[in-house]
Amino acid sequence: MAATGGCVAFPTALLSCRLTPSPPSGNLRPNPSQRRFAVSSESQFTTTVRNETKRTTSFGENGIFKEKIKEEAREGVSGEKPKNPYDLERERNGSEEDTSRKSLKDYFEESKDLIGSEGGGSGPPRWLSPLDCGSRLDNSPLLLYLPGIDGVGLGLIMHHQSLGKIFDIWCLHIPVKDRTSFTDLVKLVEQTVRSENFHSPNRPIYLVGESLGACLALAVAARNPDINLSLILANPGTSFEKSQLQPLIPLLEIIPVQYQLSLSYTLSSMTGDPLRMAMDKVMKGPPLQQVAEGLSKDVVAMSSYVSVLANILPKETLLWKLKMLKSASAFANSRLHAVKAQTLLLTSGRDQLLPSEDEGKRLRHVLPKCEIRRFNNNGHYIFLEDGVDLVTVIKGASFYRRGKFHDYVFDYIPPTPSEFRNICESNRLLMRATSPVMLSTLKDGMIVKGLAGIPSEGPVLFIGYHMLLGFELVPMVSTLLMERNILMRGIAHPMMFMRKKEGNLPELSSFDTYRIMGAAPVSGTNLYKLLSSKAHVLLYPGGLREACHRKGEQYKLIWPEQSEFVRMAARFGTKIVPFGVVGEDDFGEVVFDYDDQTKIPFLKDFIKELSEEADTVRTGLNNEVNQDIHSPVILPKFPGRFYYYFGKPIETEGRMRELRDKDNAQKLYIQVKSEVEKCLAFLQEKRENDPFRNLLARLAYQSMHGFDSEVPTFEL
């Protein structure tokens, strides 16, 4: 977890001296009573030396942030051990609002203050640095926010605090009365980018733009292909020619000032669908009366900010911005071929201003290194809507980096408690259906209920059986994080991270949750980095072959004959924890497997096409271990229960010289495999004595003791 930081009012001159100067047509002096931003100033820039005020956040072991936990989680006077923040967040009432996150109301209030502080919106474009961002990581990349047609620069206001923990944020502010051309804006941003790249050539620069700002980001990237840029484009304005905004230009030119119909249109687009917003609040769980009161307050607040919106986009400014968007769209589209930067597209399914869904599909094929994330239920101003967290999106797409290339180990940022709560909520039915039983083994060999036998200090390497389709992952990883505050970093198949070509495999966004929870592509390099950083690592020697096993192969270990992990584990003194998990045969049975599918010509060709879309994990091994990508057909059963047993940790510390010998390493490899088989056999025997193995029995128990009560199991 990132350390939370308060709103700190740094001296304006100190922050502004880092910034590229604005055009020399004027300066902006911040209102002392509204110290929300540090503001760039050319005169200050030319007379000061670059100076960085570092706000840093450190990582603890396992990649978990060291954080000053909330008051209820802190160590009490009695000396009690601090509570696990992930478990605290899970127990938190789902209806509680995150008071630290700003809202659309804050956007209007701070826009009003900002416009008022600049004498009615005059002056040149300039950079603002939000002061509510808190502490950030060492060597954080620079994030330049490029606004849409509103130009205020507060489009990320709901994300400042979370973004500020991992980025150095500057926001471009274009005053209401400013008439800087699009090409001059390109030069302004380009000057900033080149200046920052000159001073820190290895530091990535993120350009986050929406609509007009997205065109600006594309133009800068096209003109600077050799600079270390990453683009995040939300509903880009490159589709202006096909949008509903195009007819507004001639209409605004003839419509009287007193009939600014565009204001209500823009307002409805910005606030989203009121019915959907109401339903979202109902689904979160607050009482209906509380929902009604909240909605009535929202309506009153929104009506009071119509005048603010009119000040942000008066008729003349809106007409100027639409004409600029038209030229920006043409400018960016003519240079798409020159864009080499890594790009993440965010498109809305309910964008009433631009055809963003179709434009996202087009740009995805035009831009060379482009991924897309779709938000089907959101409107045009996606960053100002509830339920969208830009940091979570960046994590899920593995789009965060602090060097020239993304590092799945050292650039990884663990999930925040709120992110973890959302993931648990989305898997709540699976957890209830499986009602997982966790057993572990203490150092003295005693088997205990719970996870007390799992070593707290890394490096730890979990080696076990991969259940059918990997259904065991969610209960295991989430329970370990809740009960022990240990994040299990999984070594996963490359198809979850990259593709050689597009085709029929699920979109990469389908695997975002796995990446948020720490999955890394399988490779010797990543395993080396994880163990060297003392992480808790999950490795399945059986891999895809076990997860997509044939009929009758449940609980059969299908591992390579030769050791793949022992010597590397010994190099770092890793504790190897063998484990088994059973229960898949109580949930489903494979009825149409790989062998059956390859007998049908068109299915065989389909499997071949799927396998060609992603990298192969193993080469040169026998066909018993290798596995083409496919999906076995499973006949569901009435749910049973999942059982996990973590065996006694096997120490490798001090055995590096011994295990360098291939024969000794092979002996330990066989020992680990034998321990996993013993774990599986133990669970299969013990579960026969579980009176609550059946779902109906568990439901009956919970109906009497509460649906959040822990269901008993067999005696040890």
Side-chain angles (χ1 to χ4, degrees):
M1 301 163 293
T4 56
C7 178
V8 184
F10 291 103
T12 301
L14 182 62
L15 286 185
S16 65
C17 69
R18 300 179 298 155
L19 306 180
T20 299
S22 303
S25 54
N27 294 320
L28 172 64
R29 299 296 180 183
N31 184 345
S33 64
Q34 303 292 341
R35 298 289 297 276
R36 294 192 180 98
F37 298 94
V39 188
S40 65
S41 167
E42 182 187 23
S43 59
Q44 291 171 339
F45 182 86
T46 56
T47 58
T48 55
V49 181
R50 288 177 57 86
N51 190 357
E52 283 284 347
T53 300
K54 292 187 177 180
R55 299 169 290 165
T56 60
T57 300
S58 60
F59 283 97
E61 290 186 5
N62 309 317
I64 302 294
F65 284 112
K66 293 178 180 178
E67 178 183 337
K68 291 183 178 179
I69 305 174
K70 295 178 181 179
E71 190 63 37
E72 66 268 24
R74 288 178 182 162
E75 196 168 325
V77 177
S78 60
E80 294 181 359
K81 185 179 179 180
K83 295 182 180 180
N84 182 353
Y86 288 100
D87 200 28
L88 282 172
E89 184 70 18
R90 183 182 63 87
E91 294 173 354
R92 201 182 93 180
N93 187 346
S95 63
E96 293 182 32
E97 296 289 340
D98 184 359
T99 56
S100 64
R101 181 179 167 100
K102 292 190 176 181
S103 64
L104 187 61
K105 178 182 177 182
D106 295 301
Y107 168 82
F108 283 113
E109 287 185 345
E110 298 194 17
S111 296
K112 180 180 179 181
D113 294 337
L114 189 58
I115 294 173
S117 69
E118 60 188 17
S122 59
R126 68 214 67 172
W127 294 105
L128 307 178
S129 184
L131 297 180
D132 57 348
C133 291
S135 301
R136 65 172 182 265
L137 301 176
D138 288 318
N139 304 317
S140 294
L142 174 64
L143 187 150
L144 302 179
Y145 171 66
L146 310 176
I149 59 173
D150 65 297
V152 179
L154 296 178
L156 294 179
I157 191 169
M158 297 174 68
H159 310 268
H160 282 168
Q161 190 172 47
S162 57
L163 284 171
K165 296 174 182 178
I166 59 176
F167 288 104
D168 184 8
I169 307 175
W170 303 353
C171 303
L172 182 63
H173 172 64
I174 306 173
V176 175
K177 295 181 180 179
D178 177 74
R179 296 297 181 262
T180 303
S181 67
F182 178 75
T183 53
D184 285 339
L185 287 176
V186 171
K187 293 176 182 177
L188 169 64
V189 178
E190 185 177 61
Q191 184 181 4
T192 303
V193 166
R194 290 180 176 178
S195 173
E196 290 304 309
N197 183 70
F198 175 78
H199 287 95
S200 302
N202 296 321
R203 184 193 195 194
I205 300 175
Y206 282 69
L207 301 182
V208 179
E210 51 182 340
S211 61
L212 177 62
C215 295
L216 190 54
L218 286 169
V220 172
R223 290 161 58 100
N224 299 273
D226 297 327
I227 292 182
N228 191 10
L229 295 176
S230 289
L231 310 183
I232 300 177
L233 311 179
N235 300 321
T238 47
S239 61
F240 179 82
E241 293 292 334
K242 304 174 184 177
S243 73
Q244 301 180 50
L245 294 175
Q246 176 104 345
L248 280 180
I249 295 179
L251 182 63
L252 286 173
E253 289 177 337
I254 61 173
I255 196 172
V257 175
Q258 59 268 31
Y259 298 108
Q260 296 190 35
L261 300 178
S262 58
L263 289 179
S264 59
Y265 181 82
T266 306
L267 180 60
S268 64
S269 300
M270 182 176 291
T271 56
D273 183 354
L275 179 60
R276 181 179 62 81
M277 295 170 67
M279 290 305 298
D280 286 345
K281 292 193 175 184
V282 171
M283 294 301 292
K284 288 182 179 179
L288 189 58
Q289 180 181 359
Q290 182 179 340
V291 173
E293 292 176 355
L295 287 176
S296 62
K297 291 179 181 179
D298 290 343
V299 171
V300 173
M302 290 308 305
S303 61
S304 65
Y305 288 117
V306 172
S307 60
V308 179
L309 189 60
N311 291 333
I312 294 174
L313 288 173
K315 174 189 170 182
E316 297 80 6
T317 299
L318 181 57
L319 180 59
W320 170 263
K321 292 291 179 65
L322 290 178
K323 289 181 177 179
M324 182 190 291
L325 182 56
K326 181 178 181 180
S327 63
S329 176
F331 189 99
N333 278 316
S334 66
R335 291 163 174 79
L336 290 178
H337 65 279
V339 177
K340 307 300 180 186
Q342 181 187 26
T343 305
L344 179 62
L345 289 174
L346 312 180
T347 62
S348 298
R350 297 188 179 183
D351 189 343
Q352 299 177 17
L353 300 182
L354 298 170
S356 296
E357 274 192 309
D358 293 337
E359 184 64 5
K361 295 176 184 177
R362 182 182 77 91
L363 292 177
R364 184 182 184 184
H365 291 92
V366 173
L367 299 174
K369 294 183 285 185
C370 183
E371 288 189 35
I372 189 169
R373 295 297 182 271
R374 297 179 175 88
F375 299 83
N376 297 327
N377 296 319
N378 294 91
H380 179 73
Y381 293 89
I382 188 172
F383 294 140
L384 290 174
E385 294 193 30
D386 291 329
V388 177
D389 190 321
L390 182 54
V391 170
T392 302
V393 174
I394 291 172
K395 289 180 183 180
S398 297
F399 207 72
Y400 183 76
R401 59 191 175 92
R402 284 176 282 175
K404 189 173 183 180
F405 302 103
H406 175 75
D407 190 307
Y408 285 98
V409 177
F410 298 121
D411 285 332
Y412 173 69
I413 301 170
T416 63
S418 60
E419 287 171 338
F420 178 63
R421 183 185 66 172
N422 292 335
I423 292 173
C424 288
E425 187 64 24
S426 65
N427 291 282
R428 181 167 51 91
L429 291 179
L430 176 62
M431 294 292 289
R432 287 194 179 278
T434 59
S435 186
V437 175
M438 300 283 176
L439 307 176
S440 60
T441 309
L442 302 178
K443 290 183 178 180
D444 60 3
M446 178 182 292
I447 302 174
V448 295
K449 294 179 181 178
L451 299 172
I454 303 298
S456 300
E457 301 295 325
V460 175
L461 185 59
F462 296 90
I463 302 293
Y465 168 71
H466 208 353
M467 185 182 281
L468 183 64
L469 299 184
F471 283 126
E472 82 282 5
L473 285 169
V474 171
M476 179 171 62
V477 174
S478 58
T479 303
L480 188 60
L481 191 55
M482 283 188 294
E483 292 191 5
R484 294 294 311 279
N485 196 21
I486 292 175
L487 181 62
M488 184 182 279
R489 301 289 309 274
I491 299 293
H493 195 282
M495 70 174 175
M496 298 170 59
F497 303 89
M498 62 200 75
R499 302 287 162 75
K500 292 191 290 186
K501 62 179 182 179
E502 291 188 19
N504 296 303
L505 283 176
E507 290 194 356
L508 287 174
S509 59
S510 305
F511 305 104
D512 283 2
T513 298
Y514 294 92
R515 289 191 286 269
I516 291 173
M517 292 302 296
V522 58
S523 74
T525 300
N526 285 335
L527 180 60
Y528 179 95
K529 291 178 180 178
L530 286 168
L531 295 180
S532 67
S533 61
K534 297 185 178 181
H536 287 67
V537 185
L538 172 64
L539 177 65
Y540 291 111
L544 186 65
R545 178 63 180 84
E546 276 182 2
C548 296
H549 62 67
R550 275 60 149 176
K551 289 180 289 188
E553 290 184 341
Q554 61 268 22
Y555 311 130
K556 176 184 177 182
L557 299 187
I558 309 171
W559 293 12
E561 294 180 359
Q562 300 299 318
S563 168
E564 294 184 318
F565 58 84
V566 171
R567 283 188 286 180
M568 188 175 294
R571 180 168 186 166
F572 300 101
T574 305
K575 303 175 187 69
I576 300 176
V577 178
F579 73 93
V581 52
V582 303
E584 67 172 71
D585 51 343
D586 282 343
F587 281 79
E589 179 182 358
V590 177
V591 294
F592 194 55
D593 62 15
Y594 176 80
D595 293 336
D596 296 326
Q597 295 177 31
T598 53
K599 293 176 182 178
I600 302 175
F602 79 89
L603 285 180
K604 182 178 181 180
D605 293 339
F606 181 72
I607 291 173
K608 182 179 179 182
E609 292 174 1
L610 288 180
S611 300
E612 290 174 349
E613 293 174 24
D615 288 328
T616 302
V617 175
R618 293 182 172 110
T619 58
L621 298 180
N622 58 58
N623 291 330
E624 177 66 14
V625 177
N626 285 337
Q627 178 64 69
D628 291 331
I629 298 173
H630 76 290
S631 179
V633 178
I634 302 170
L635 179 65
K637 294 182 179 180
F638 196 76
R641 198 173 193 180
F642 282 179
Y643 302 86
Y644 299 78
Y645 173 31
F646 296 89
K648 183 178 179 180
I650 300 173
E651 296 283 351
T652 65
E653 188 171 5
R655 302 177 62 184
M656 182 176 174
R657 181 174 297 180
E658 170 197 350
L659 295 175
R660 279 180 180 173
D661 181 78
K662 288 186 178 181
D663 292 336
N664 292 332
Q666 185 66 15
K667 288 179 183 178
L668 182 57
Y669 179 72
I670 294 174
Q671 178 189 348
V672 173
K673 184 177 181 180
S674 176
E675 291 296 324
V676 174
E677 291 173 333
K678 290 179 182 178
C679 291
L680 291 170
F682 175 84
L683 291 174
Q684 290 181 78
E685 178 185 350
K686 281 291 187 180
R687 69 173 175 173
E688 298 296 333
N689 301 320
D690 185 0
F692 300 101
R693 178 176 172 182
N694 186 275
L695 177 61
L696 290 179
R698 296 197 298 273
L699 290 176
Y701 178 89
Q702 290 182 320
S703 66
M704 298 177 61
H705 298 83
F707 282 99
D708 291 328
S709 60
E710 183 179 352
V711 181
T713 185
F714 52 77
E715 294 294 331
L716 292 176

